[in-house]
Amino acid sequence: MPRYLANTSANRGFSQPQREHAGRSSRWNKLARVRRNEKEGAMTIHTVEVPEDSEIFGKSVSAFASFGYSAAVRSRGHLFIAGTVGRRPDSAIPDDIEEQTEIAIRKLQEILRLEGLDLSALVDVTSYHVDIHQHLSGFTKAKSRLIKPPYPSWSLIGVSALASPGLLVEIRATAAYPDGI
């Protein structure tokens, strides 16, 4: 086990075998987070899990467990949504930037729906673009079909590549819950 995991506050109070399992189990991560919160009096954190049978995400649901991250995390009235990409439910990657953008936004929409929100709850969005100048027009067309006022803040960042060859856009976002949640 790497030393940086052995002595973190999230790992204190757990046996060596439990700590060694830390990097391999999302259940462990949730347990460690709950215990850390109980000990330190920290804020409550809720992770959003996309159902295995999601028609929007399809086979890509397994990526959350495989790469060890949550689709989204709710904390202090905000929903922090991990980057979504334009991979079809069958895992195919379309060549068209408009289709990839629409799929990525539909995935954001699905995560929001799971939390009782919709796209109007978005407050901050960052999108990462391969060949941004070549694809900006198609991205903007798809975005304008789905994102309506009031608009969130939105930053566009050009990158040389994304996680899989053929991916052209990845979108991460933060949404706000209605007051009192």
Side-chain angles (χ1 to χ4, degrees):
M1 165 185 248
R3 285 190 183 192
Y4 68 87
L5 284 177
N7 294 318
T8 63
S9 63
N11 291 326
R12 283 189 211 122
F14 294 96
S15 69
Q16 182 65 27
Q18 287 174 318
R19 287 194 306 268
E20 288 174 2
H21 189 65
R24 297 185 302 266
S25 168
S26 63
R27 183 170 176 246
W28 159 263
N29 293 333
K30 289 178 189 175
L31 179 61
R33 187 170 33 248
V34 169
R35 288 191 180 172
R36 182 180 66 236
N37 290 343
E38 288 172 357
K39 288 180 181 179
E40 298 173 6
M43 66 188 136
T44 302
I45 295 174
H46 165 76
T47 57
V48 177
E49 294 185 26
V50 177
E52 299 256 342
D53 61 350
S54 170
E55 291 182 20
I56 304 291
F57 280 84
K59 293 178 182 177
S60 65
V61 169
S62 64
F64 301 120
S66 295
F67 293 103
Y69 70 102
S70 298
V73 175
R74 178 176 68 212
S75 179
R76 297 201 179 215
H78 290 88
L79 183 66
F80 302 92
I81 304 171
T84 62
V85 295
R87 189 182 298 271
R88 294 181 185 133
D90 67 359
S91 292
I93 299 173
D95 293 329
D96 179 70
I97 185 62
E98 284 188 55
E99 185 179 355
Q100 283 196 32
T101 302
E102 184 166 336
I103 291 169
I105 293 173
R106 295 280 183 213
K107 288 179 178 180
L108 290 176
Q109 189 175 36
E110 175 64 5
I111 292 168
L112 291 164
R113 186 195 66 76
L114 291 169
E115 286 294 295
L117 301 171
D118 59 31
L119 291 170
S120 69
L122 294 175
V123 294
D124 186 53
V125 180
T126 302
S127 51
Y128 303 90
H129 303 261
V130 175
D131 297 325
I132 190 168
H133 296 292
Q134 180 182 343
H135 298 121
L136 190 57
S137 175
F139 168 80
T140 303
K141 285 178 190 174
K143 177 181 171 267
S144 67
R145 285 193 304 267
L146 298 166
I147 305 296
K148 304 297 180 196
Y151 298 116
S153 65
W154 199 303
S155 300
L156 287 78
I157 300 172
V159 297
S160 60
L162 293 169
S164 294
L167 288 174
L168 303 173
V169 64
E170 180 170 338
I171 305 172
R172 64 174 294 153
T174 303
Y177 289 90
D179 292 339
I181 294 181

